[in-house]
Amino acid sequence: MGIDTHARTHTYAIINTHTGSREACQTFPVSTPGMNRTVAWIQRNTQGQCIAAVEGTRSYWATITHALTEHQVAVVEAKPPRRKDQAGRGKSDTIDATTAAMSLLPKDITKLLQPRDEGARAALSIISASRARIDVHRTANRNALSALLRTYDLGMDARKPLSVRQIKQVSRWREHEADTIDQKFARDEAKFLATSIMAGDQMLKENSRAMSELDEQLAPELQQVFGLGPVTTAWILMVYSHHGRVHSEAAFAALAGVAPLQASSGNHERHRLNRHGDRQLNKALDVVARTRMGHDEATKRYVEKRTADGLSPKEIKRIFKRYIARSIYRQLQVIMA
């Protein structure tokens, strides 16, 4: 069965695997009654094992994925058709659903893409996105507060970045009788911004605590790796997803964008950083590399040795990030097997 999904309706096409003919095609609304009608329709029009191909199993597709899984209908990811394959065939919901179903016929079902695991991993993705939003708003409030204190004379030295102590002090401000009307409103706004910043700080602490608990649930002891914290561990686990998704440590390095690329010319032989791959995973490895290069004695000695060999700081970090990717992948293979 192929499913073409939209915000309001989903279109379903059932293909007979013996003949390749389309047995039935129907559109149902995306609602609880619509899902119930969908499941009943599928049961009436199928015999034996049924497998559903959906283009993506998140967002619009998440509801039907859960409903079908609960009724023992296997759900797999269907890759969207290439544009050149659609040439001369047109496009409609019925065509797209039928194409999704037909795409499974020549394939080994054991090698099809399975939906990502739910539960703790999905929760980790949610709070990671939440953390990014909180951090953006907190940074915007800090910048606005700094600009306000530099524009109006409110008795606070804001020539340097504001400290935590200064922000707390601003949040406790009261009205000053000597303030002009513009200073009065500026003081009120500064107090509001400072209070928002402190609330953001508290929310980030709670977020980190929740992340740490989920990290430990998914990959026990991974946070013990030197340089990894709750946030960087979460980034790695979200990309790694589950055991079997990444088939080798070389593939993991390529996914992280730390697999070296040739940049040789003439007699000069060298490699350069890879600008591709998952940037969040790359950022996590970069944080680990910088932390170890700044605070780990064994790593400092390694940096000194490679510097004496004539390598630049960028080249040393490139090599070191590749080593970190290999080390973390092997740990994930053991922890999440």
Side-chain angles (χ1 to χ4, degrees), residues 13-44:
I14 296 176
I15 300 297
N16 187 318
T17 55
H18 294 290
T19 64
S21 63
R22 189 174 67 199
E23 300 291 322
C25 188
Q26 189 68 43
T27 298
F28 293 99
V30 181
S31 61
T32 300
M35 292 298 165
N36 293 334
R37 288 167 54 198
T38 299
V39 173
W41 177 81
I42 293 171
Q43 291 173 341
R44 287 196 308 270

Side-chain angles (χ1 to χ4, degrees), residues 55 57 60 63 103 128 161 195 200 232 262 274 277 304 327:
E55 288 185 11
T57 51
Y60 293 160
T63 306
S103 68
S128 179
T195 303
T232 47
Q262 280 282 357
N274 191 336
E304 292 173 359
S327 174

Side-chain angles (χ1 to χ4, degrees), residues 16-17 31 56 73 108 124 144 150 286 310:
N16 187 318
T17 55
S31 61
V73 176
D108 180 349
L124 201 59
R150 290 169 182 171
D286 192 75

Side-chain angles (χ1 to χ4, degrees), residues 91-302:
K91 175 175 169 56
S92 70
D93 294 349
T94 299
I95 291 173
D96 289 346
T98 303
T99 302
M102 296 292 289
S103 68
L104 299 185
L105 294 183
K107 297 181 179 178
D108 180 349
I109 61 173
T110 62
K111 297 181 179 180
L112 295 173
L113 295 174
Q114 303 295 322
R116 287 182 174 179
D117 294 337
E118 298 295 333
R121 189 199 170 282
L124 201 59
S125 179
I126 292 169
I127 62 174
S128 179
S130 174
R131 182 182 187 84
R133 288 192 298 271
I134 295 169
D135 198 34
V136 167
H137 290 306
R138 186 188 63 157
T139 301
N141 287 335
R142 288 185 71 99
N143 293 339
L145 180 59
S146 296
L148 194 65
L149 295 178
R150 290 169 182 171
T151 304
Y152 297 94
D153 183 12
L154 300 176
M156 176 69 67
D157 185 1
R159 291 174 294 176
K160 296 180 180 180
L162 295 174
S163 65
V164 174
R165 183 186 61 80
Q166 287 177 308
I167 293 173
K168 288 182 178 179
Q169 182 180 343
V170 173
S171 70
R172 294 192 293 264
W173 273 356
R174 297 181 179 179
E175 292 186 5
H176 287 198
E177 294 182 359
D179 281 349
T180 61
I181 187 169
D182 56 341
Q183 287 177 319
K184 175 184 179 303
F185 282 98
R187 192 177 297 278
D188 290 343
E189 179 66 11
K191 182 178 179 180
F192 169 77
L193 291 171
T195 303
S196 299
I197 294 167
M198 292 177 62
D201 289 339
Q202 183 60 34
M203 291 172 69
L204 287 177
K205 289 180 181 178
E206 295 172 0
N207 185 282
S208 293
R209 193 178 305 114
M211 268 191 178
S212 180
E213 293 174 358
L214 290 170
D215 291 342
E216 193 65 21
Q217 182 179 338
L218 288 167
E221 300 183 4
L222 184 61
Q223 294 179 83
Q224 306 304 320
V225 174
F226 193 104
L228 282 180
V231 179
T232 47
T233 301
W235 289 346
I236 291 171
L237 292 177
M238 284 189 292
V239 176
Y240 182 82
S241 183
H242 56 275
H243 186 65
R245 178 177 183 245
V246 186
H247 60 81
S248 68
E249 60 93 6
F252 185 72
L255 180 62
V258 296
L261 295 179
Q262 280 282 357
S264 304
S265 178
N267 295 327
H268 188 61
E269 193 170 320
R270 61 180 290 271
H271 294 80
R272 69 169 178 82
L273 285 170
N274 191 336
R275 305 296 180 186
H276 302 283
D278 187 286
R279 304 322 295 167
Q280 194 171 54
L281 177 57
N282 185 282
K283 184 178 179 180
L285 298 184
D286 192 75
V287 170
V288 176
R290 286 189 285 109
T291 302
R292 292 190 188 181
M293 290 169 76
H295 303 283
D296 181 52
E297 293 302 322
T299 304
K300 287 182 179 180
R301 290 194 295 271
Y302 171 78

